[in-house]
Amino acid sequence: MLAWLLYLQKRDGGILFAPSGKNVSNGASFVSLYLPVLISTSLALAWAWVDVGSKRVEPYFQLSKPGGGSGEETILLDYATDFIALVPFRALRRRQWSVFCAGVATVFASWTLSPLMGAVLNLETITINSTVSLNQSPGPMSIDDQKQQMGVTFFNEAYTFLWLNGSKPAFTTPDYALAPVVFTEGAAVQDSHAFVEVDTTQYFTDLDCTPASLVDSASCEDVQDQGSSPYASNDGDCVTWVGWGAGPDTVDNDKRFSVQYMGFSSYHGAGLQMSCDCDSSNENLFLASITDRGSPQTPDLGLQRPNQTILFCRATYSRQQVKAVINVVTSSVVSATPTGPPSSLPLQSFNTSHFNFLLNTAVYSLSRSLEDLQSLAQYGVLNKDIGDANIPPEYFRMQNQYPNVNRLDYEYTGLVAWAFTKEVQSFGSYMDPVLLAEAFESAHKVLFAFAMQKMLEPPSDHQITSGTLSHEVAAVTVNEAFVIATMLILALLAVAGTACLLINARREQRQQVDPASLLSVLGSVGSSTATRVQEVIATSAEPEKALFLERFSLDSTGGSSLETPAPKINCVETFTQPSRKPEGGYGEKPYPRSLSLQILLLIFGSIVSAILALAVLKYYMDTDAGLPQPSQSSFVRQLLLSYLPTAYATLMEPVWVMLVRDLSVLQPFLALFGCGATAQQSLTCTFTAVPAQFSIFEALRRRRLLLAILGLMTLTSNVLSVVMSGLFETRLTTYTSKRDYNIQFEPLIQSPPVLAYNFVTNQHRSNSDYDYFYLLDQSIDPLHEFPSWTSTDFYFLPFDLDNSSLSNSTESASHEAQTTGFGMQPMCTSSNINISMTEMSWFDFSLQMDPSIALSKGAHAHSPDGDRCQSGGELDFYSGTPEDIQQAFMTENGTTSERLAAEATFQVNSGSINREQNQTAACNRYFATIWFRTNPAPYEGTLLMPRNGSHPAIATTALSCTTTLRVANFSVHVDLSGKVLNSTQLTPFAADPGSHFSNSSDVSLYEQMSAHWLGYTATNWDWHDAPFAGTWLNHYLKLLSGSDDIVNPAKPLPDANVVAPQVEEVMRRFFPIYLSLNKQVLKAVDQAANESVAGVILEPVQRVFFAPHAFEIAITILGVQLLAVVLVMVRRPRRMLPRMPTTIMAVVSYVRHSTLLSDILSGRRTLEEIEKDRETKYAYGVFTGTDGRPHVGIDRVEKMVRAGARPRKRWWQGTGKQAKKDDAKALKETPRTVAGLWS
């Protein structure tokens, strides 16, 4: 069985596994913690029975040998009270192999096997591997589909990843993209520590960058006059204009460096592009340069420009077969190992033209000229959601990071801002061609990887592959070292058992009665042996020494006069003086050592020490979240946590066995003291014939409660062994340590920053307002994380996270402390609007809300002078001729679109009425969002909006929304980077949110919350005949609902009651992200104040605990055993016998010259008659023997001269008055010593 378990361990990594999660079943836990020791304990009990029987009958085996055996080997042989560990050595010296084998087997079964078996199985978390089926992507989609699918979303994702610390797309790294895979149905494992290894395809790009040579402009034909800058040549393959001049007169006072990117593009709306003779063969070529505009020039060098670094970089696109390791839950890439050589990506696999177009144009053109429309349609970027059609203005980020870099506006970015995301000590270090090439290559790799991932087809059921799933699971494991040791012990036990069987099968045993009681021993004694024992005791001061070498035999001679006499023990050879000194110890055991006060105190101290040790461990486990693992080695852990506790319990078992055995020997004499007892009550006691654990039943039957208690303690020691084997368990827990965190901000909002985009002047300012939307875009995806210190609804004031005290292995550690959370509570209500035509036109019209928007639950917001808040805007067609407009809305079959839709957001304002600032703010904190539907009608070959009288037939749904600040205290749990894991609100929301604003910052904040939702593409909103969202708000509503119905012209208008909660949810999600990117609106704490808040560090670690209920059971057993030891110390028998009755000679010595012995030897009464006699009582005391002399021993009560007093009165032996009188009388008549009467 063990060999099979070891085989399973090596094959599967374990033998029993958790069905799910990290917890095994109760059955598996029982198997791991307790079953092995339960089996070994049962085996030990079986061997204990064999050992007891072997030691009991060994004298009779020796007596049954031809010629008998010496007194040492027969009537003086004493194993009954020997300590279990000494029996094999004494048997070995005497060459009594049956006892030796049984003793060795008992020692190993009791002391060695159980601790080893307790350490064989272990419950731990392991990593297992299994083969799974996976659906794999068939590869890239078609070139035409790529043109339609490759918007600029990958720019947004790359921007969020590089600049905002966002997440990567699934199956993507900054260097490559992998063909995605998914589990087949039913094979998924939801475990963040699960990984799958699969063969897949890797897609990546490389840049080959070489320095450009400068040439005279005359060598280039058809070059527009770009100024005085030189021209760059790629060894004559491509000659292009470099860019701006390098003179100091062209640089801003605070701008020293200038960087640029030039790509190949035929689109007229691109930024800088290579010109001259750079034809389409150079489509994958671009120019990158950096100029130190502040460095001195040396005009005499001609075309040598030491202050410029110019590179031509050619991109190559490749694929390669790899063996990838992918996280099952997040689909993030852990590693990818090549399994084949790289190869060029086929032209039909990736639309490089479209990719280069997007790289070179840098921004999505907002122009609506027909030429632009046709070009944009050619590249498939029409009818895209705003999130797929806006490239982030990353130049704002770069300007903030490198304020000394010149001309980073939206026309000239390309790859520039993507290449310099890594902050360096000096921007001038990029003058090094190697560093400059590495910067552009890293940007190109990121953008290609993110774009390529979107061009790969989703995994298909028809493309199936196999992979290796590796995941952590709780399992029952096998420790090989302990298994081998256990197998050796079991082999030893098997050999010992076989030897016992063979030895005893070949030996002659003439004893017909089991010598389990005093009476049965006396029944086997012949007259010659009895006579010889009586003579020796009468004549020798050391009778054991006198009988040491005399020989005794078990045969039919000298026995009774029956026709078929039973074999008796007869003396066949005597000596006047032994030829050698007998073994020490004979005659030196008048009282059991185990019952001495010294031994009992040692037992008491051992149990008290165990109880204290467990109590101390329990205290530290409860106060310190468990104990640290003693070692990372499984063998050492099992040794300390399983083997040693089990060893302690198994070592205590022989101690209790020794107490039971010694007290069992005294039981017949305790019954014979005082008024005596019948033979059945005393002489037939068989306590020593069974293992100590089973003596409890005989003791209860005979009302020997002290012996029964000790037997029960022996049995509980076996239970304790089982419990101790599973006392400790190692499990994953959260270890907490207290610490103080410095707080960074006060719960006070100051004036918010000015918007980066001014919607009045259409001008950008110093920062980007798109960042909020890109982060919000990711946060809606469940696979992506929220920004640091944010949750769905709240932004939490950060506190300092010092992770320096954590070990490198605690990547999953986290922090928890109290802080303040800020959120917004939006409220959106349905509003009615009236639309009027201000100008009739085929291609545009305007609308005005009539004359105000309902602001709150149907009530209008009125200023003191009674005027209402109002707003308005325009809805435009594309500019151009009526034919152009009609063409813009033509369907594929040549018909005009039947239905159009539009969406708009307006900030509510006070119109042209003069108001006070606070009155204007009361209006500006609201904004309206409207959805339009209309049916265009043909009119003289053009499109005309249908109308009902003077009003266009336009259906609308409108909401007006406002927000209110929510502030409360939270207990926040964050990871090492500040990502919020969970939070618990501790206080109600502040009744007065205004107390958390300084000055008029509440006015400005509320205005910005409404203004941020205005359209970022223009101040006008366009009609569309395709289901795409032209505003951020509708873009998120599509993501949240998973449907495009809200912007689909073919679908009905959204229900205000349904869409209002969705709009509120988007607004709630937006505010925490807004604060996370604008921490400057929060009032910083004075560093000198050194304010802090108490918190804890939480580290998920494997710690050691007591197994459920194991501590309670162990401490209960030890406590009961401690009470039992105290009871033994109080109620133990006093010294009462001249020698322990553990040998045949000792038993005979107590009945010498007695009527009892005479009756047995003469055959007047058989053993059965004596046992069944309920009238005759026997006692221990001074009696007149058959020789007429007084003796101390056992005989009939009527033969007693002075009956021996009971050593002590026992509470379980009755409290009758007559019994007390009898005992008192016997005690008074008992001589103080029997030494003189022994002879």
Side-chain angles (χ1 to χ4, degrees):
M1 176 63 73
L2 288 177
W4 180 66
L5 293 179
L6 192 58
Y7 165 74
L8 292 180
Q9 170 70 28
K10 292 184 176 181
R11 188 191 68 179
D12 302 330
I15 58 173
L16 294 175
F17 304 95
S20 62
K22 298 294 179 65
N23 298 319
V24 299
S25 63
N26 292 334
S29 180
F30 175 80
V31 167
S32 169
L33 299 176
Y34 306 114
L35 183 60
V37 178
L38 193 59
I39 294 174
S40 65
T41 301
S42 302
L43 186 60
L45 287 176
W47 271 110
W49 207 301
V50 173
D51 181 60
V52 168
S54 176
K55 291 186 291 186
R56 186 175 69 254
V57 301
E58 183 61 26
Y60 299 91
F61 274 118
Q62 298 295 328
L63 289 166
S64 300
K65 293 190 302 182
S70 66
E72 175 195 14
E73 299 171 338
T74 55
I75 66 172
L76 297 178
L77 190 60
D78 181 11
Y79 287 120
T81 56
D82 282 344
F83 189 60
I84 184 175
L86 300 179
V87 171
F89 297 100
R90 292 183 175 176
L92 179 64
R93 187 189 64 81
R94 295 166 180 163
R95 297 185 178 182
Q96 295 173 355
W97 303 117
S98 178
V99 177
F100 170 76
C101 292
V104 168
T106 302
V107 170
F108 278 97
S110 300
W111 287 5
T112 308
L113 184 62
S114 290
L116 287 176
M117 287 285 278
V120 163
L121 300 181
N122 185 30
L123 186 62
E124 60 182 348
T125 301
I126 64 171
T127 300
I128 63 173
N129 299 323
S130 58
T131 302
V132 293
S133 296
L134 301 163
N135 295 334
Q136 192 172 33
S137 169
M141 61 183 65
S142 67
I143 293 294
D144 292 336
D145 289 342
Q146 289 185 27
K147 182 186 296 185
Q148 296 299 322
Q149 295 295 325
M150 192 188 297
V152 295
T153 308
F154 70 91
F155 274 104
N156 303 338
E157 293 178 343
Y159 174 77
T160 308
F161 169 69
L162 293 172
W163 286 104
L164 304 179
N165 196 29
S167 304
K168 302 184 296 292
F171 304 102
T172 309
T173 74
D175 296 322
Y176 55 83
L178 295 178
V181 295
V182 296
F183 286 96
T184 56
E185 184 177 358
V189 176
Q190 295 302 317
D191 181 2
S192 59
H193 296 285
F195 302 91
V196 63
E197 185 180 58
V198 61
D199 291 319
T200 186
T201 305
Q202 178 190 75
Y203 300 90
F204 60 95
T205 181
D206 292 302
L207 291 185
D208 181 16
C209 295
T210 58
S213 57
L214 297 179
V215 298
D216 188 86
S217 60
S219 63
C220 183
E221 300 178 357
D222 299 328
V223 178
Q224 297 179 358
D225 185 9
Q226 302 285 359
S228 59
S229 296
Y231 296 86
S233 173
N234 184 24
D235 295 331
D237 186 30
C238 177
V239 179
T240 185
W241 169 64
V242 173
W244 309 283
D249 58 329
T250 62
V251 66
D252 296 338
N253 292 331
D254 58 345
K255 308 292 185 181
R256 175 175 178 177
F257 297 99
S258 177
V259 291
Q260 66 184 29
Y261 160 89
M262 285 186 179
F264 175 87
S265 177
S266 61
Y267 174 54
H268 78 281
L272 293 176
Q273 52 186 306
M274 293 187 296
S275 57
C276 198
D277 61 354
C278 296
D279 56 21
S280 59
S281 64
N282 294 297
E283 182 182 55
N284 295 327
L285 185 71
F286 68 84
L287 180 143
S289 70
I290 178 173
T291 302
D292 186 351
R293 293 173 163 281
S295 64
Q297 297 187 27
T298 52
D300 57 342
L301 294 178
L303 294 177
Q304 301 294 326
R305 298 298 176 98
N307 63 329
Q308 270 190 319
T309 299
I310 306 173
L311 300 175
F312 276 104
C313 296
R314 187 177 300 277
T316 57
Y317 303 93
S318 306
R319 65 182 179 183
Q320 187 175 21
Q321 290 301 116
V322 296
K323 187 175 289 294
V325 178
I326 301 167
N327 186 284
V328 170
V329 175
T330 64
S331 298
S332 58
V333 180
V334 178
S335 64
T337 305
T339 57
S343 60
S344 297
L345 193 62
L347 296 177
Q348 67 273 17
S349 295
F350 185 68
N351 195 329
T352 56
S353 298
H354 188 51
F355 180 66
N356 289 325
F357 158 75
L358 293 174
L359 292 184
N360 200 32
T361 56
V363 295
Y364 177 69
S365 176
L366 303 178
S367 172
R368 286 296 183 268
S369 67
L370 182 60
E371 184 179 7
D372 286 344
L373 293 174
Q374 292 173 343
S375 298
L376 292 171
Q378 175 187 353
Y379 287 99
V381 293
L382 277 177
N383 292 346
K384 298 289 186 182
D385 274 9
I386 188 172
D388 299 326
N390 267 300
I391 292 181
E394 70 284 347
Y395 44 86
F396 287 132
R397 285 279 174 179
M398 188 170 175
Q399 281 182 344
N400 291 337
Q401 183 162 308
Y402 304 112
N404 60 346
V405 179
N406 188 43
R407 300 190 71 177
L408 285 174
D409 53 32
Y410 69 92
E411 277 191 277
Y412 301 103
T413 53
L415 282 178
V416 169
W418 311 102
F420 302 106
T421 57
K422 183 189 297 184
E423 189 171 357
V424 293
Q425 186 173 3
S426 172
F427 195 79
S429 61
Y430 285 114
M431 294 293 293
D432 184 345
V434 175
L435 293 181
L436 185 65
E438 290 177 352
F440 276 95
E441 183 175 43
S442 64
H444 199 270
K445 281 181 174 292
V446 169
L447 293 174
F448 170 76
F450 282 38
M452 187 64 195
Q453 189 57 247
K454 294 186 175 300
M455 298 303 101
L456 294 170
E457 295 280 4
S460 169
D461 294 340
H462 304 291
Q463 195 81 13
I464 299 178
T465 185
S466 62
T468 301
L469 176 65
S470 300
H471 66 284
E472 291 183 348
V473 63
V476 178
T477 61
V478 178
N479 191 294
E480 183 176 359
F482 286 104
V483 167
I484 295 175
T486 302
M487 292 173 67
L488 292 176
I489 297 300
L490 290 175
L492 176 64
L493 296 182
V495 171
T498 303
C500 283
L501 288 175
L502 294 177
I503 291 172
N504 292 331
R506 299 175 64 180
R507 300 171 75 185
E508 182 181 3
Q509 218 281 60
R510 301 173 185 171
Q511 177 70 9
Q512 298 180 356
V513 180
D514 182 11
S517 63
L518 292 179
L519 187 61
S520 60
V521 171
L522 292 175
S524 64
V525 175
S527 57
S528 61
T529 299
T531 301
R532 181 55 182 164
V533 170
Q534 291 174 157
E535 291 176 354
V536 171
I537 291 177
T539 60
S540 174
E542 296 179 303
E544 289 88 354
K545 185 177 181 180
L547 297 172
F548 185 69
L549 294 179
E550 294 187 0
R551 301 193 67 80
F552 298 87
S553 176
L554 184 63
D555 50 43
S556 299
T557 60
S560 65
S561 59
L562 297 176
E563 184 177 352
T564 55
K568 298 291 183 178
I569 303 174
N570 295 301
C571 181
V572 296
E573 186 176 1
T574 60
F575 296 91
T576 56
Q577 183 68 28
S579 60
R580 62 184 177 89
K581 184 178 180 181
E583 178 188 1
Y586 286 112
E588 298 176 2
K589 296 191 294 184
Y591 188 75
R593 290 183 180 179
S594 64
L595 295 176
S596 65
L597 186 61
Q598 295 86 346
I599 298 297
L600 292 175
L601 287 175
L602 286 176
I603 300 173
F604 181 86
S606 174
I607 297 175
V608 169
S609 300
I611 293 175
L612 290 177
L614 293 181
V616 170
L617 292 177
K618 179 66 174 176
Y619 170 78
Y620 282 108
M621 287 180 184
D622 292 342
T623 58
D624 204 24
L627 301 175
Q629 289 196 95
S631 173
Q632 295 300 318
S633 169
S634 176
F635 174 81
V636 175
R637 288 200 307 270
Q638 287 293 88
L639 180 67
L640 297 178
L641 301 181
S642 182
Y643 181 85
L644 291 183
T646 309
Y648 165 80
T650 54
L651 287 175
M652 287 299 296
E653 179 195 359
V655 174
W656 290 107
V657 170
M658 181 175 59
L659 288 173
V660 171
R661 188 67 58 225
D662 289 343
L663 193 60
S664 297
V665 170
L666 299 178
Q667 290 306 306
F669 293 88
L670 293 175
L672 291 170
F673 270 95
C675 298
T678 64
Q680 195 274 337
Q681 295 173 333
S682 56
L683 300 179
T684 60
C685 291
T686 58
F687 297 116
T688 59
V690 295
Q693 291 86 343
F694 299 102
S695 62
I696 179 175
F697 305 107
E698 179 76 3
L700 289 174
R701 188 175 68 84
R702 295 180 180 272
R703 300 180 64 189
R704 300 291 188 262
L705 295 188
L706 182 60
L707 180 62
I709 290 173
L710 290 182
L712 179 62
M713 294 305 100
T714 308
L715 191 60
T716 60
S717 67
N718 295 125
V719 178
L720 185 63
S721 299
V722 177
V723 173
M724 284 294 199
S725 67
L727 180 64
F728 297 101
E729 69 174 7
T730 302
R731 64 173 180 259
L732 185 67
T733 187
T734 301
Y735 180 73
T736 60
S737 54
K738 297 181 180 179
R739 66 166 298 174
D740 293 330
Y741 296 94
N742 294 328
I743 59 176
Q744 301 177 6
F745 302 100
E746 296 181 16
L748 191 65
I749 295 179
Q750 304 177 111
S751 297
V754 180
L755 287 174
Y757 189 87
N758 189 316
F759 295 98
V760 177
T761 62
N762 282 359
Q763 293 178 348
H764 289 281
R765 296 192 178 178
S766 60
N767 198 1
S768 171
D769 290 317
Y770 293 89
D771 293 356
Y772 316 117
F773 301 107
Y774 298 129
L775 284 175
L776 182 58
D777 201 57
Q778 280 203 346
S779 68
I780 292 177
D781 188 341
L783 291 180
H784 291 286
E785 299 175 331
F786 288 95
S788 297
W789 303 103
T790 65
S791 66
T792 306
D793 298 332
F794 294 97
Y795 175 75
F796 303 100
L797 296 185
F799 42 83
D800 290 339
L801 301 178
D802 183 7
N803 301 319
S804 59
S805 60
L806 301 175
S807 62
N808 295 330
S809 60
T810 56
E811 297 178 356
S812 301
S814 55
H815 304 267
E816 186 173 5
Q818 291 187 26
T819 187
T820 304
F822 286 88
M824 279 291 180
Q825 179 57 56
M827 183 177 64
C828 296
T829 57
S830 176
S831 297
N832 296 319
I833 63 171
N834 293 322
I835 302 176
S836 61
M837 297 291 292
T838 59
E839 179 182 354
M840 185 61 191
S841 171
W842 287 320
F843 43 83
D844 77 27
F845 66 93
S846 62
L847 58 84
Q848 186 95 11
M849 297 191 179
D850 180 33
S852 63
I853 296 179
L855 299 176
S856 174
K857 295 183 179 179
H860 294 283
H862 293 276
S863 62
D865 58 6
D867 292 322
R868 297 174 176 177
C869 301
Q870 59 187 355
S871 187
E874 292 182 349
L875 287 171
D876 288 348
F877 284 129
Y878 295 116
S879 59
T881 66
E883 290 78 9
D884 298 337
I885 299 168
Q886 186 175 18
Q887 182 180 1
F889 290 111
M890 293 288 287
T891 60
E892 293 181 357
N893 58 9
T895 61
T896 305
S897 300
E898 296 181 356
R899 190 168 176 83
L900 301 179
E903 302 81 35
T905 53
F906 301 88
Q907 187 172 25
V908 180
N909 55 57
S910 56
S912 59
I913 301 175
N914 294 326
R915 300 179 185 277
E916 299 294 333
Q917 181 179 359
N918 61 340
Q919 296 170 355
T920 302
C923 292
N924 289 352
R925 67 185 296 175
Y926 295 88
F927 79 93
T929 180
I930 311 170
W931 293 268
F932 302 89
R933 296 288 191 275
T934 190
N935 296 315
Y939 178 74
E940 295 181 358
T942 67
L943 294 178
L944 177 67
M945 304 306 297
R947 57 181 181 167
N948 182 9
S950 61
H951 299 281
I954 300 176
T956 62
T957 294
L959 295 177
S960 60
C961 301
T962 185
T963 56
T964 302
L965 185 69
R966 295 193 300 175
V967 185
N969 287 335
F970 291 80
S971 175
V972 181
H973 185 197
V974 299
D975 65 10
L976 300 183
S977 63
K979 304 289 186 182
V980 177
L981 302 176
N982 56 70
S983 61
T984 304
Q985 186 173 341
L986 303 177
T987 62
F989 292 114
D992 180 18
S995 62
H996 294 277
F997 291 97
S998 64
N999 301 325
S1000 300
S1001 57
D1002 57 337
V1003 175
S1004 179
L1005 180 68
Y1006 289 138
E1007 286 181 356
Q1008 286 208 20
M1009 288 303 98
S1010 60
H1012 268 97
W1013 293 108
L1014 304 188
Y1016 274 74
T1017 57
T1019 56
N1020 300 326
W1021 299 273
D1022 299 326
W1023 292 97
H1024 57 86
D1025 61 348
F1028 67 88
T1031 64
W1032 287 107
L1033 179 60
N1034 286 281
H1035 172 67
Y1036 297 130
L1037 292 176
K1038 283 181 61 177
L1039 292 178
L1040 283 175
S1041 64
S1043 171
D1044 61 5
D1045 289 357
I1046 198 168
V1047 293
N1048 193 338
K1051 298 293 183 178
L1053 281 167
D1055 185 337
N1057 294 325
V1058 174
V1059 76
Q1062 299 175 353
V1063 174
E1064 291 174 355
E1065 181 179 354
V1066 172
M1067 296 174 66
R1068 277 196 304 270
R1069 287 172 175 261
F1070 175 81
F1071 182 68
I1073 294 175
Y1074 168 82
L1075 283 184
S1076 71
L1077 294 178
N1078 289 286
K1079 296 185 180 68
Q1080 64 271 28
V1081 308
L1082 301 168
K1083 184 178 180 181
V1085 173
D1086 185 3
Q1087 297 298 323
N1090 195 24
E1091 297 184 34
S1092 62
V1093 62
V1096 293
I1097 298 177
L1098 301 97
E1099 300 180 63
V1101 293
Q1102 293 286 343
R1103 304 277 287 183
V1104 178
F1105 293 88
F1106 285 127
H1109 310 302
F1111 170 79
E1112 291 80 2
I1113 296 175
I1115 209 74
T1116 300
I1117 291 176
L1118 290 172
V1120 171
Q1121 289 183 349
L1122 188 67
L1123 294 177
V1125 173
V1126 174
L1127 182 63
V1128 172
M1129 285 192 292
V1130 174
R1131 309 299 297 180
R1132 62 196 176 99
R1134 68 180 182 182
R1135 297 178 181 272
M1136 57 184 179
L1137 300 176
R1139 59 168 54 86
M1140 289 292 290
T1142 54
T1143 65
I1144 297 174
M1145 174 264 175
V1147 172
V1148 174
S1149 69
Y1150 283 110
V1151 293
R1152 68 195 186 286
H1153 301 295
S1154 67
T1155 305
L1156 173 62
L1157 181 61
S1158 176
D1159 290 343
I1160 294 173
L1161 294 177
S1162 63
R1164 288 191 297 269
R1165 304 184 69 191
T1166 64
L1167 299 181
E1168 291 77 7
E1169 292 173 345
I1170 296 174
E1171 181 178 356
K1172 294 179 180 179
D1173 188 354
R1174 298 293 186 269
E1175 301 295 331
T1176 304
K1177 288 190 175 182
Y1178 299 90
Y1180 175 78
V1182 180
F1183 66 91
T1184 302
T1186 55
D1187 59 352
R1189 300 178 58 189
H1191 300 277
V1192 176
I1194 302 171
D1195 207 349
R1196 295 181 182 180
V1197 171
E1198 60 268 20
K1199 297 293 183 178
M1200 290 289 140
V1201 178
R1202 287 190 290 268
R1206 292 182 180 178
R1208 289 202 181 118
K1209 185 63 186 173
R1210 303 291 183 233
W1211 58 270
W1212 59 82
Q1213 291 175 324
T1215 56
K1217 294 182 179 180
Q1218 185 60 44
K1220 291 182 178 180
K1221 291 180 180 179
D1222 294 343
D1223 289 346
K1225 179 179 179 181
L1227 181 62
K1228 180 178 180 181
E1229 295 177 352
T1230 300
R1232 293 183 177 273
T1233 177
V1234 294
L1237 296 175
W1238 186 249
S1239 59

